[in-house]
Amino acid sequence: MTDHLDLVPLGFFPTPIDKWDNLGRELSISLSAKRDDLSGLGGGGNKIRKLQYLLAEAKAEKATTLITAGATQSNHVRQTAAVARKHGMRPLALLRGQLPPSPSGNLLLDELLGAQLEFHDRDDFNAMVVDLMLERKAELEASGERAYVIPIGGSSPLGALGYVDCAKEMREQFDARRQRHPDYIVVAMGSGGTYAGLVAGCARYLPNTQVLGIVITTAAFASRDCAASLLNDTARLAGVDRRWDAEDLLLNYDHIGPEYGVPSQEGNAAIRKVAEAEGVFLDPTYTGKVCAGLIAAVGETIPAGSDVIFVHTGGSPALFAAR
């Protein structure tokens, strides 16, 4: 159980479950969306649930600065910067890539939040980023500050507890409506925390529901072995008495597109399809590719007639920077 662990309330929870009848009819499934894009602070998104636990630990350590990292259009960096400002801390973010001529999308919002941004244009960024963040932490603490390091995506076992809570929240919503529990939950698999938390949470609260992760990156942390390790550590912390091997995970690696953060043709088609069918905006890095994966999975991994929840993890600001 996560009830004994401290968290700092940050979001507008419970987020709604939105019935997507038009797209569901087209796909021959019963389709709804868990609208975590509406979680509130900093424009909303899935990182808010993770940050509730991570911020509690940062405050317990009396941190004055939150240090994190991500891609130039990182949703996680935006949300972390907003949380830092809301709680009187300074946000420092290491970003992979180059400073563009003019900021747009998430990067513009980072600047509005006054985040200190460092750009690192290097191929080994993911391999080196932890060391780089620890270097910044040491530098800050040598000058008298206290810094707390948040991993990419907030994807530690502690952060992933936010999505154990999300599974519990959905169970309560289904039961309040006397609604059958879904056959499948479909969600992005990037840094792994959202996926790990949902799988562990479903094992406790929605045991007949399978979680399909649509992988959107080739980074090492999205490998089956890394995903299983994070999942097992999360389950242990949450008190879930189950362990998973890498081959137990329901993951699809077919929808990454050209590379992480680069829009794909099928992802863009899914963004347009959802906008026209349901009046909801997805993003080109995560949810567009995930929805494309969901569409392709119907009739294969997901049988026609299934009850499916699509987790909308946010990210629409990146639409305004899409190439």
Side-chain angles (χ1 to χ4, degrees):
M1 297 290 289
T2 60
D3 297 342
H4 69 287
L5 294 169
D6 290 334
L7 61 77
V8 177
L10 294 175
F12 302 160
F13 301 123
T15 56
I17 295 176
D18 183 17
K19 199 81 171 76
W20 282 6
D21 287 326
N22 296 325
L23 184 56
R25 277 193 299 270
E26 182 179 340
L27 298 177
S28 300
I29 58 175
S30 176
L31 179 61
S32 299
K34 178 63 169 166
R35 296 293 304 276
D36 270 16
D37 59 313
L38 303 178
S39 63
L41 186 62
N46 61 319
K47 313 306 181 185
I48 297 299
R49 291 188 190 271
K50 301 177 185 181
L51 288 164
Q52 293 190 131
Y53 285 98
L54 297 167
L55 181 66
E57 186 170 74
K59 289 172 79 75
E61 296 180 8
K62 302 187 184 307
T64 58
T65 299
L66 296 183
I67 303 174
T68 197
T72 302
Q73 284 296 325
S74 171
N75 300 312
H76 165 68
V77 167
R78 163 178 48 87
Q79 291 166 74
T80 300
V83 165
R85 288 308 189 189
K86 180 71 172 177
H87 288 267
M89 301 177 184
R90 188 166 66 90
L92 167 61
L94 282 60
L95 300 178
R96 179 179 183 176
Q98 298 179 343
L99 174 66
S102 60
S104 60
N106 281 309
L107 188 57
L108 173 60
L109 301 181
D110 295 339
E111 294 197 358
L112 288 174
L113 289 161
Q116 180 181 342
L117 304 175
E118 291 185 12
F119 291 85
H120 295 264
D121 190 19
R122 49 192 297 176
D123 292 336
D124 63 349
F125 179 79
N126 287 336
M128 295 297 299
V129 70
V130 173
D131 289 341
L132 291 170
M133 289 192 290
L134 290 175
E135 285 177 12
R136 297 299 173 271
K137 175 181 169 70
E139 292 164 1
L140 288 167
E141 294 188 344
S143 68
E145 290 198 54
R146 295 184 68 87
Y148 181 83
V149 172
I150 296 175
I152 288 177
S155 290
S156 65
L158 181 62
L161 291 179
Y163 272 86
V164 177
D165 293 344
C166 183
K168 180 182 180 183
E169 180 178 294
M170 285 192 281
R171 166 71 180 262
E172 292 169 349
Q173 289 174 301
F174 300 139
D175 289 353
R177 300 177 183 181
R178 298 182 179 180
Q179 179 180 341
R180 71 185 293 262
H181 296 168
D183 301 304
Y184 294 89
I185 292 173
V186 181
V187 67
M189 168 62 185
S191 56
T194 302
Y195 176 79
L198 281 174
V199 174
C202 284
R204 179 182 292 278
Y205 300 111
L206 296 166
N208 296 317
T209 299
Q210 296 189 68
V211 182
L212 170 59
I214 306 298
V215 181
I216 49 74
T217 178
T218 57
F221 45 61
S223 70
R224 286 186 174 274
D225 287 341
C226 288
S229 177
L230 177 57
L231 168 55
N232 287 324
D233 289 345
T234 301
R236 189 177 300 111
L237 187 58
V240 176
D241 187 20
R242 180 178 167 183
R243 297 296 174 262
W244 288 260
D245 293 326
E247 59 268 22
D248 297 330
L249 308 184
L250 189 58
L251 293 171
N252 186 302
Y253 288 81
D254 296 335
H255 300 279
I256 297 169
E259 62 179 285
Y260 173 78
V262 177
S264 68
Q265 185 174 354
E266 63 170 5
N268 288 346
I271 291 171
R272 184 173 295 277
K273 182 181 285 290
V274 171
E276 292 180 350
E278 303 296 343
V280 176
F281 299 114
L282 305 182
D283 80 288
T285 300
Y286 292 93
T287 52
K289 293 179 179 181
V290 175
C291 190
L294 186 162
I295 292 167
V298 175
E300 296 182 0
T301 306
I302 299 174
S306 296
D307 196 318
V308 180
I309 302 292
F310 169 80
V311 181
H312 191 334
T313 53
S316 59
L319 283 172
F320 301 101
R323 298 189 294 278

